[in-house]
Amino acid sequence: MTRLIDVAPQLAQQAIELPSWAFGNSGTRFKVFGSPGTARDPFEKIADAAQVHRYTGLAPSVALHIPWDRVESFDALRQHAEDLGVQLGTVNSNTFQDDDYKLGALTHTDAAIRRKAIDHHLECIDVMDSTGSRDLKIWLAEGTNYPGQGDLRGRQDRLAESLATIYQRIGENQRLVLEYKFFEPAFYHTDVPDWGTSYAQVSALGERAVVCLDTGHHAPGTNIEFIVMQLLRLGKLGSFDFNSRFYADDDLIVGAADPFQLFRILFEVVRGGGYANPDVAFMLDQCHNIEQKIPGQMRSVLNVQEMTARALLVDTGALKVAQEAGDVLGANAILMDAFYTDVRPGLAQWRESRGLPADPMKAYAESGYQQQIEADRVGGAQAGWGA
Ligand code: PSV
Ligand code: MN
């Protein structure tokens, strides 16, 4: 049986990128709730993200969303992040909040609107040049609501052409990462609905184009770990947007809804060579609508760490023997043994041995940071959906 101590060196390599938007207000389409102390600009969002890293040692970078995180000087934002001990990470484009994009952006029939959407992505690459970011992550809200509304094939062809124009501008050390989602905001068809479409589109672009798998973007019952295996096998799994869901794209705390699914995904990541592999970025894509944001992000990265530890504990040698012997129940039991191992006390001890608090949630709660931002951040507009 593998022990936690045996996998500590691997655990020490874990890095999970936080989304800047987790530190702004968000909500449902019915209501966005404000909460005291919420960041009012990208600088404050980065400061909050740095707290998560400070107490967990797990979150050394922060993803940006443009235009939500547009600032006068990205060099200054980068310096601010570095001063706080974190880096700026993935740059996410946004072609879903402009009236021009009502009927499409990169797929629009109007060449002028397609050009505008392409130019937005080129601006994002300029930002990446200043921030030192490697990845441009593209999620498209494009699709149709009614059969017959659009030419499905024409839209796919225009998408390929627009992506190729963007890809030409991607630097030597940069990547284009294409995210898929099976529905929403379009309800009849979505232009990049599944991993296969994303894979087909990025494969046509070249080596530096890869797929992003958002765990919340699949139909209920989808075997997500199978997709993880397949994309790793094909060398095209570029990143994860981790979150969890009960119903649709709920954007809840990763591992909250279904810890076993998170374990199964991470087991395939480890098994497929995607763990501690710089080519596979671990990110969160979550919102905290009613819970506190900084502890919400802390809980999330800790959930990923706990399930990673369990995945690393799987006795792969014994598993292989059982699989090859056709020992169905034995093989399943080996996997479940690791899943049912409570790694929390071991992780607490290990954290302390590295100068981190045994209980990061408690340490943050006792730090006074939350009270401080609630007292300081008075006035101004809190960051939120669209800002
Ligand atoms: C879309 O649902 C998505 O998952 C994309 O990653 C966006 O960038 C993000 O959510 C916005 O919250
Ligand atoms: Mn996402």
Side-chain angles (χ1 to χ4, degrees), residues 307-343:
M307 290 304 143
T308 303
R310 293 185 190 197
L312 289 168
L313 288 181
V314 173
D315 186 339
T316 47
L319 184 63
K320 190 162 188 278
V321 171
Q323 286 173 344
E324 288 176 5
D327 182 359
V328 176
L329 294 178
N332 177 243
I334 290 165
L335 203 78
M336 298 314 287
D337 275 348
F339 173 65
Y340 282 121
T341 307
D342 187 356
V343 293

Side-chain angles (χ1 to χ4, degrees), residues 216-235:
H217 288 186
H218 306 84
T222 301
N223 183 334
I224 298 176
E225 59 271 26
F226 181 86
I227 301 172
V228 170
M229 172 283 296
Q230 188 68 288
L231 285 170
L232 280 169
R233 181 176 164 268
L234 297 166

Side-chain angles (χ1 to χ4, degrees), residues 137 179 214 217 241 243 285:
K137 179 145 68 69
E179 183 173 349
D214 183 315
H217 288 186
D241 268 4
N243 51 55
D285 178 8

Side-chain angles (χ1 to χ4, degrees), residues 21 65 92 137 139 179 181 214 217 241 249 285 385:
W21 52 102
H65 218 296
N92 290 258
K137 179 145 68 69
W139 170 71
E179 183 173 349
K181 176 172 171 174
D214 183 315
H217 288 186
D241 268 4
D249 189 16
D285 178 8
W385 198 240

Side-chain angles (χ1 to χ4, degrees), residues 47 57 141 198 281 346 364:
S198 178
Y364 172 74

